[in-house]
Amino acid sequence: MPDVVSVIMPTYNRLHVLARAMDSVLEQTAAVLELIVVDDGSTDGSVEYLRHRASADPRIKVIETAHAGAAAARNRGIEAAGGEFIAFQDSDDEWHPDFIERLLPHVRGRSDLVAFVSHSVRFRDGSQMVVPRSAIERPERELLYRSVASTQTLLIPSVLLRDGAFDPALRRFQDWDLCLSLLERGGVTFRHVPVIAATLYRLDDSISEGSTKLRSASLRRILRRHRPLFRRHPLALARLLVRAYLRPGIGSRSTAVDRSPEAAGLRDLGAL
């Protein structure tokens, strides 16, 4: 069916915020074909809640799996998706009501273009920041250096994801890894729609709040997975090597404007 979107939401023990995330998908101003919620082995009552929601709304499909991580859950959701386009939402985050409406015109009729919006990040202390803070004219080049498109901000033609999308062994930077994989395919372009249409919440147990060791290990895995791509872009390769091996603290939550690995995407290229 044309112009319909399958939304994939992995969840694991997020009952306390699940309703907010689901409602932000189901209340979109543009039509959503289905919301596929992949429960990754929750033990907090999420499954029962999801079953109840699905019984009252035919747009909701629930897939129950053993705990294997968000990447594996998203891949399982992709396999079940029936829409022409795929979007991803996390069970602790929120879309603005016009998220799909803002992106759909840019990808309509295109099987080679990925569109994304800016997003607001809200931290535990009540502060927030916007990523990216200004329009990106050349996203393909920018994505070589930094993650500027979080998974929850993307709208992707489903044909681009049929051969697999996420690396289950990668614990962090799954959004950046996905974008790099799409770039490596060749012929795929990105378009940034410079509006804030999603809100990401940094909770105590958010993956993005993980350890520096985990962060560095994930960056090194990205380097190994995409070495041929980075070899064609020496400056991007040098930056990644520094982040992964020499200065693991880059992107830590140390100042009001530098709070997460995603925040590193706002630095100028000369910052390193």
Side-chain angles (χ1 to χ4, degrees):
M1 296 176 62
D3 287 358
V4 291
V5 180
S6 296
V7 181
I8 298 168
M9 179 185 297
T11 187
Y12 177 66
N13 289 341
R14 284 290 195 274
L15 180 60
H16 56 296
V17 290
L18 194 51
R20 179 183 65 194
M22 294 179 67
D23 290 345
S24 79
V25 173
L26 298 170
E27 295 173 3
Q28 287 293 298
T29 55
V32 173
L33 170 67
E34 57 190 357
L35 169 58
I36 303 173
V37 186
V38 184
D39 186 87
D40 189 36
S42 294
T43 58
D44 65 344
S46 292
V47 173
E48 292 74 18
Y49 174 77
L50 290 170
R51 291 173 181 170
H52 172 73
R53 291 289 301 262
S55 68
D57 191 332
R59 294 174 296 172
I60 301 173
K61 298 181 180 179
V62 180
I63 299 175
E64 300 172 27
T65 67
H67 184 53
R74 292 191 188 101
N75 287 338
R76 180 66 183 87
I78 291 170
E79 294 174 359
E84 183 181 4
F85 305 103
I86 290 178
F88 300 95
Q89 178 59 292
D90 280 1
S91 56
D92 52 358
D93 295 324
E94 185 177 16
W95 282 345
H96 299 192
D98 60 349
F99 172 82
I100 297 293
E101 184 179 352
R102 293 281 193 175
L103 290 174
L104 196 55
H106 298 276
V107 298
R108 183 178 288 126
R110 299 286 299 270
S111 61
D112 61 342
L113 189 144
V114 177
F116 66 99
V117 295
S118 294
H119 62 277
S120 173
V121 183
R122 295 189 182 181
F123 298 96
R124 291 167 292 178
D125 61 4
S127 63
Q128 58 184 315
M129 64 182 297
V130 173
V131 183
R133 287 184 288 194
S134 58
I136 298 178
E137 299 298 331
R138 298 172 60 191
E140 296 86 4
R141 182 180 185 278
E142 198 78 5
L143 283 165
L144 292 170
Y145 290 86
R146 52 182 65 84
S147 178
V148 293
S150 187
T151 309
Q152 306 92 313
T153 69
L154 298 164
L155 186 59
I156 307 174
S158 59
V159 67
L160 295 179
L161 301 175
R162 293 308 182 197
D163 295 331
F166 293 94
D167 175 14
L170 186 65
R171 296 287 303 281
R172 294 186 63 179
F173 303 107
Q174 295 172 2
D175 45 7
W176 192 28
D177 181 69
L178 171 63
C179 292
L180 292 172
S181 295
L182 291 170
L183 286 176
E184 284 185 307
R185 293 172 65 104
V188 177
T189 59
F190 286 76
R191 181 171 299 170
H192 175 225
V193 181
V195 297
I196 303 170
T199 300
L200 280 59
Y201 296 89
R202 290 289 177 262
L203 307 178
D204 290 341
D205 55 352
S206 294
I207 293 176
S208 296
E209 296 293 322
S211 67
T212 298
K213 181 179 179 180
L214 176 59
R215 177 183 180 277
S216 297
S218 298
L219 288 172
R220 293 170 189 177
R221 183 168 180 83
I222 285 177
L223 176 59
R224 292 193 298 271
R225 280 174 50 80
H226 304 289
R227 190 179 298 273
L229 176 64
F230 283 107
R231 280 178 172 170
R232 298 196 297 270
H233 301 276
L235 288 178
L237 173 60
R239 187 180 193 277
L240 179 54
L241 286 168
V242 169
R243 293 177 67 197
Y245 289 95
L246 299 182
R247 295 176 64 185
I250 292 176
S252 62
R253 194 172 183 269
S254 57
T255 70
V257 295
D258 180 13
R259 296 184 176 274
S260 69
E262 289 82 359
L266 301 176
R267 293 189 175 88
D268 293 331
L269 297 182
L272 296 182

